[in-house]
């Protein structure tokens, strides 16, 4: 949580997002196929498609999907094409975010 807070603060300074949803998913009904812990910190800009959670959550029917059912990657290629950026842009963005990370608590 400390790391997520630091990253969110850096996003605010580096990207000036409209908002930052944070979420953590556990279990097959949230789209997780291999049990592990990670935390999403997503700077939202106008036109972003995540809504209130990852895009795959919108495709789940009812309470979720059956255990062992793989995520449908049907629209992944189109999403990747819309968000494609050059390696140089990624390096620049990472540098801007790192430059704005608050100092870690001791």
């Amino acid at each position: 949580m400390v790391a997520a807070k630091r990253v969110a603060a850096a996003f605010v300074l580096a990207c000036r997002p409209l908002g930052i949803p944070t979420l953590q998913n556990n279990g097959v009904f949230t789209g997780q196929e291999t049990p592990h812990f990670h935390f999403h910190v997503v700077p939202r800009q106008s036109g972003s498609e995540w809504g209130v959670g990852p895009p795959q959550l919108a495709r789940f029917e009812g309470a979720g999907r059956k255990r062992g059912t793989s995520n449908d990657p049907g629209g992944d290629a189109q999403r990747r094409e819309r968000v494609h950026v050059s390696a140089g842009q990624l390096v620049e963005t990472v540098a801007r975010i790192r430059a704005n990370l608050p100092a870690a608590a001791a």
Side-chain angles (χ1 to χ4, degrees):
M1 294 309 292
V2 171
K5 186 176 177 180
R6 287 182 68 225
V7 169
F11 278 147
V12 167
L13 295 171
C15 303
R16 303 281 185 224
L18 298 174
I20 301 176
T22 58
L23 46 126
Q24 192 277 322
N25 302 324
N26 276 332
V28 69
F29 286 100
T30 67
Q32 192 176 63
E33 296 186 20
T34 303
H36 66 286
F37 178 85
H38 68 274
F39 206 82
H40 298 265
V41 180
V42 184
R44 291 288 308 274
Q45 300 293 1
S46 181
S48 63
E49 296 181 5
W50 264 43
V52 296
Q56 74 270 17
L57 293 182
R59 293 198 295 265
F60 292 162
E61 297 293 329
R65 63 182 184 186
K66 292 182 181 179
R67 185 177 295 277
T69 303
S70 63
N71 190 32
D72 175 15
D76 287 357
Q78 292 162 331
R79 277 192 293 277
R80 279 195 289 276
E81 186 63 33
R82 283 196 305 272
V83 299
H84 181 76
V85 297
S86 70
Q89 287 173 291
L90 290 174
V91 168
E92 179 184 315
T93 301
V94 168
R96 192 170 65 243
I97 292 166
R98 283 186 176 151
N100 285 286
L101 276 172

